[in-house]
Each structure stands twice: as C-alpha cells, then as structure tokens.
Amino acid sequence: MTPVTTAVLSALAEEQRGLLERLQRPQRVNRAGREFWLGELHGTPVVLALSRIGKVAAATTTTTLIEAFGAQRLVFTGVAGGIAPGVQVGDVVVAQAFVQHDMDASPLFPRYQIPLYGRERFACDAVMSEALLAATRAGLSHLGLPATVHHGLIASGDRFVSAAEEARQLRAALSEAGHAPLAVEMEGAAVAQVCHDYAIPYAAVRTISDRADDTAHVDFPKFVTEVASRYALAIIDEFVRRMTK
Ligand code: ADE
C-alpha cells in the first residue's frame, strides 16, 4: 500500500526552517509561484509548504498541496493573537474548528455564515486533532517548555488585529452569535474550507505570539524569531513521529 502523504503547512519561513533541515531525500518543486518540498520525516512521506499570508493565499497553497502533490492529510503550524481571557503569549491553541470573523453576506445570509455551505464553522478532524494535542504536550515538555495548551475555536480574517478595543469588539460580536474564539489569525479558516471541499482531514496548532492589542505589532516579530520556530519544530517532529509508529 502506498503510504499516505502528509502536508505540513507553516505560516512562517522561520517555522519551516527546522523541518527543512530534517527533511530526508528533499526535492524542491515550484508550482503556483510557490516552493514545495517533498521528502520524508521519520520515514513518513511529507510535502512542506508555506501558506503565505491571508485567506486567499492560504487557499491557493492548500488546493495545490491536494491537487498537485496528492496530500491526503494536512497539518498547519503558525502563530495567532490570543483574544479570550486566559489565552496568553506563549500558550498554544490546537484548533477544534474555524470561523471567518470577516465573513458578512447579511442580510442575504446570516452573519458569519459561508454562503451556500449553510454553516459558519468548519471543524478540524477529531482524531488528528487529538494526536496533535498529545504531540504538542509531549513535544513542548521534551523541550522543557511546558506551555498551557488550549483546544477550541479559532477565528480567521484578512486583518492583523492590533488594537485592544477592536479585539474586544470582534470577540463580543462573535460570542453574541455563539462563536466565542480563543484566538485570531489570518489563514486557518480558509485551509479548513478547502480541506472540507476535498474531504481531507485537517488539524492546526497556533502558538500565541501577542494579545491582538496595541502592542501586537511589537510582540509578534519578536516572538516569531525567538520562540515560534522552536515550538513548531518540536510539535511537528513529535506529531509525525507518533503517526509513523
Ligand atoms: N497572527 C498573529 N497575531 C495576529 C493578530 N494579532 N491578528 C491576526 N493574525 C495574527
């Protein structure tokens, strides 16, 4: 039986670097103006890619991973802004589902509903998400970084949220509609929608780089270079190792 190809999608080059260094039999292929890296991690066939930033870019990368590289499951690592109380910088969120906080086709469709899908949320694969939760806990504790790990809803939109009042309003409006998110970022819901279209299992993990408040733009780059890359490598290495067993 041909082994399943796992796509590992990173939001940032810093997060991909460590994985690329460990990639066995690496082969670079250019497609859709993007670089894709084929190879093996712990003997498992993988394809590594950068999502790029924003929902459309992430959807193009995801579609290419599935259509051109035959990805049969997809795992995403990135950073996010924490917007629920208690979701702090350095915590980690494993997604249960995604909502688009900037989707608004009202009054034609209810606020947040994706037109013609009849739903506001796309759920992640439960089995893969459990494995990602376990790999996150184990990977970070091996690193000596026992971070708080949350599991819940993430909101995506084409906006870097960098004002406390905006973050409060965004969370209040989503909560009112029954979609209280733990964190915000800019790609996850698009990847989830494409994976739904192709019936490809998907799981995602985001390290909290900022609180989506007035210092978010300062906290974000500092966190990415100093912490996120090490977290991403530890988590994905453990995740792939566990799937290979
Ligand atoms: N990714 C990391 N921090 C973010 C923020 N504050 N808003 C949107 N995406 C993010």
Side-chain angles (χ1 to χ4, degrees):
M1 209 170 74
T2 324
V4 167
T5 298
T6 303
V8 181
L9 200 45
S10 310
L12 308 157
E14 287 89 342
E15 292 178 311
Q16 196 191 47
R17 197 163 301 131
L19 291 171
L20 268 179
E21 283 165 8
R22 289 192 192 180
L23 192 67
Q24 298 142 355
R25 302 201 281 149
Q27 197 194 335
R28 195 188 72 195
V29 182
N30 289 318
R31 195 82 175 230
R34 290 150 165 76
E35 274 186 3
F36 294 84
W37 286 91
L38 307 173
E40 290 179 6
L41 287 174
H42 299 289
T44 290
V46 294
V47 49
L48 311 182
L50 295 178
S51 63
R52 299 208 173 180
I53 297 169
K55 295 195 306 282
V56 174
T60 300
T61 309
T62 306
T63 306
T64 309
L65 280 166
I66 297 168
E67 285 282 2
F69 297 99
Q72 287 152 295
R73 62 182 164 211
L74 203 144
V75 59
F76 191 110
T77 68
V79 293
I83 60 167
V87 178
Q88 302 299 341
V89 172
D91 289 1
V92 178
V93 178
V94 172
Q96 209 158 34
F98 283 93
V99 62
Q100 291 183 33
H101 66 71
D102 54 357
M103 175 55 75
D104 187 0
S106 62
L108 301 177
F109 297 90
R111 182 79 214 269
Y112 305 117
Q113 191 171 107
I114 315 293
L116 312 181
Y117 284 78
R119 60 167 77 210
E120 290 82 17
R121 300 179 182 208
F122 290 102
C124 294
D125 182 72
V127 173
M128 256 179 91
S129 298
E130 276 306 316
L132 190 56
L133 268 170
T136 300
R137 293 197 179 102
L140 295 183
S141 107
H142 292 164
L143 266 188
L145 294 166
T148 302
V149 183
H150 308 267
H151 188 207
L153 183 67
I154 296 181
S156 309
D158 287 325
R159 189 166 172 80
F160 185 81
V161 181
S162 58
E165 181 51 22
E166 183 188 344
R168 195 197 59 73
Q169 281 177 17
L170 194 149
R171 182 172 151 79
L174 279 162
S175 303
E176 173 93 346
H179 306 294
L182 298 178
V184 279
E185 40 81 303
M186 302 178 67
E187 299 83 20
V191 179
Q193 187 170 335
V194 174
C195 287
H196 168 88
D197 288 342
Y198 285 93
I200 295 285
Y202 167 54
V205 58
R206 293 268 180 173
T207 305
I208 301 303
S209 56
D210 56 78
R211 282 280 307 164
D213 59 13
D214 304 60
T215 61
H217 62 293
V218 183
D219 300 337
F220 172 83
K222 186 163 154 27
F223 188 87
V224 164
T225 31
E226 290 174 13
V227 189
S229 45
R230 284 192 295 143
Y231 274 38
L233 179 60
I235 294 168
I236 294 301
D237 191 69
E238 185 65 28
F239 178 74
V240 174
R241 208 172 58 76
R242 283 165 177 249
M243 280 192 319
T244 313
K245 276 189 198 156

